[in-house]
Amino acid sequence: MSNSWEHRYRMDLLIVNLRESSIRGNVLVELNKFIIHQSTEAMRMDLGFHLWNSELTLPILLQEVVAVYPKLLDPTILTMTETTRLCNALNVIQCMASHPDARIGLLRANIPYFLNPFLQVSENVMRPLQGVTLSILNLIAELAKFDESYGQEILLLLLDTQVVHLCLHCILHGHQQIRKVATFILVKILMQEKGLKYCCALPARFLLVIQVLHQLVDKFTCDEIPCSQQIKYVVQCYLSLSRVAWVGGIYDAVRTYFPQQLIDNTFGNITRDDPEIPNMLHQLVLNLTRQPPQLLVAEVLGRNSRKR
């Protein structure tokens, strides 16, 4: 009982001390240590709940984010201390987002828009901000939980923030861990029906998704050795896209831009310890080689007749 009381007292003290601007940097450090010591998901969610419901905490954390905006013009002048402080603030928001009520609340409050400027920068600007970019993507991944009561609203709110385009930008220009998290977010979106429809709604958007995925596999082949999880994310993306079948030429485009390295055993030594990947690749090849399902044909014909 004593340990529980001490834990709660420590949590409340840290949250209150965030309001003191003179010690806020140190408080953020201690709060991050406190977050790391939350050994179970339930403890983390409880902390996230209290952070979300505590007075002024979110505005204070957003002040930390906005304060760095002027230095985005030249991130080389951003000191390591400033970068670490910003990452600590982002990690606290991520902890906040571990609670379902906070997740939907953060999105309804348009919090991702405060983070977008860090993800929209050019490759040269992104390089000094790699740690910040990774923290933001981890936060977005925490928000992107679609299998809960608010899941579909969360998905639609995230799509409104241009999250797909931003993730593709990070896949193209970020380092390996950034690409991994950005691809993970893309996978989660593509595995949702509304997310898949969004990515395929515009030819230019769909083509960009396909091209970036292809470039990512090329990078795996030439520049870096991926882990099996990275390859799995890419395969899952293609698997979701292949299920759209032939509507609007998407089926042919997926086949055209599908990287053969995924099925010619280029990554065999990496994927052999994960039995899910060969199974997914087998299904993917089936999807790309078979004729479209008759049910889908009937649906499209019916839609065309209604248009007439």
Side-chain angles (χ1 to χ4, degrees):
M1 192 72 169
S2 175
N3 288 340
S4 175
W5 182 89
E6 289 176 3
H7 178 275
R8 180 59 184 271
Y9 175 78
R10 174 71 172 155
M11 176 176 65
D12 289 343
L13 183 62
L14 287 169
I15 292 174
V16 169
N17 284 345
L18 273 177
R19 302 172 192 173
E20 298 294 332
S21 59
S22 60
I23 60 171
R24 188 172 298 151
N26 291 331
V27 175
L28 285 169
V29 171
E30 293 303 313
L31 191 50
N32 270 263
K33 292 178 181 177
F34 189 80
I35 291 170
I36 292 171
H37 288 133
Q38 306 310 296
S39 56
T40 66
E41 183 179 357
M43 292 175 66
R44 189 177 174 86
M45 284 179 58
D46 181 65
L47 176 55
F49 175 81
H50 283 92
L51 285 166
W52 171 246
N53 286 285
S54 58
E55 187 178 1
L56 298 178
T57 298
L58 183 57
I60 287 170
L61 295 171
L62 290 179
Q63 283 179 14
E64 295 294 317
V65 174
V66 174
V68 182
Y69 281 180
K71 296 193 175 182
L72 287 177
L73 297 173
D74 183 8
T76 59
I77 64 175
L78 197 64
T79 67
M80 182 62 70
T81 300
E82 290 171 322
T83 301
T84 302
R85 179 166 171 158
L86 176 56
C87 288
N88 286 338
L90 292 168
N91 292 342
V92 176
I93 301 176
Q94 181 182 340
C95 177
M96 191 182 290
S98 64
H99 193 278
D101 290 346
R103 269 196 292 279
I104 187 62
L106 288 167
L107 282 162
R108 287 173 177 170
N110 295 320
I111 299 307
Y113 287 100
F114 287 89
L115 311 177
N116 285 359
F118 296 93
L119 302 181
Q120 293 168 332
V121 295
S122 66
E123 182 178 4
N124 290 336
V125 174
M126 183 182 290
R127 196 171 295 116
L129 295 171
Q130 300 276 17
V132 174
T133 303
L134 184 58
S135 293
I136 291 173
L137 288 174
N138 284 330
L139 169 54
I140 294 173
E142 187 70 45
L143 292 170
K145 294 186 176 179
F146 308 130
D147 299 324
E148 55 188 30
S149 56
Y150 296 116
Q152 292 307 296
E153 183 181 356
I154 286 174
L155 173 63
L156 295 177
L157 288 169
L158 267 181
L159 291 176
D160 283 345
T161 69
Q162 302 298 311
V163 65
V164 171
H165 177 78
L166 294 172
C167 283
L168 294 174
H169 181 72
C170 290
I171 292 171
L172 282 175
H173 302 300
H175 63 49
Q176 186 172 10
Q177 189 60 29
I178 285 175
R179 286 195 291 271
K180 182 179 179 181
V181 180
T183 310
F184 172 64
I185 297 169
L186 183 62
V187 166
K188 297 189 77 172
I189 291 171
L190 286 171
M191 290 179 70
Q192 299 294 311
E193 181 181 354
K194 291 178 181 177
L196 183 60
K197 286 182 178 178
Y198 173 88
C199 290
C200 299
L202 300 175
R205 183 187 298 156
F206 166 75
L207 192 58
L208 181 61
V209 172
I210 290 291
Q211 289 175 335
V212 169
L213 288 172
H214 197 291
Q215 289 181 48
L216 180 58
V217 175
D218 286 343
K219 189 176 289 290
F220 289 163
T221 307
C222 303
D223 299 339
E224 67 185 44
I225 300 176
C227 65
S228 61
Q229 192 65 58
Q230 286 176 291
I231 295 176
K232 180 184 284 188
Y233 291 156
V234 174
V235 173
Q236 286 176 315
C237 286
Y238 277 107
L239 191 56
S240 293
L241 291 167
S242 72
R243 288 175 177 145
V244 181
W246 60 284
V247 177
I250 289 175
Y251 180 72
D252 290 332
V254 174
R255 289 197 299 181
T256 300
Y257 284 96
F258 179 72
Q260 293 301 307
Q261 301 100 306
L262 290 176
I263 56 176
D264 67 4
N265 210 35
T266 298
F267 306 113
N269 290 335
I270 300 172
T271 62
R272 63 186 176 189
D273 294 329
D274 188 338
E276 286 189 53
I277 297 177
N279 291 338
M280 288 191 297
L281 284 171
H282 177 71
Q283 184 61 54
L284 177 56
V285 171
L286 287 178
N287 289 357
L288 294 178
T289 55
R290 67 187 179 187
Q291 292 299 313
Q294 293 303 310
L295 180 62
L296 187 54
V297 173
E299 177 185 338
V300 174
L301 290 175
R303 188 187 308 132
N304 291 340
S305 65
R306 287 195 295 274
K307 287 180 180 179
R308 294 192 189 100

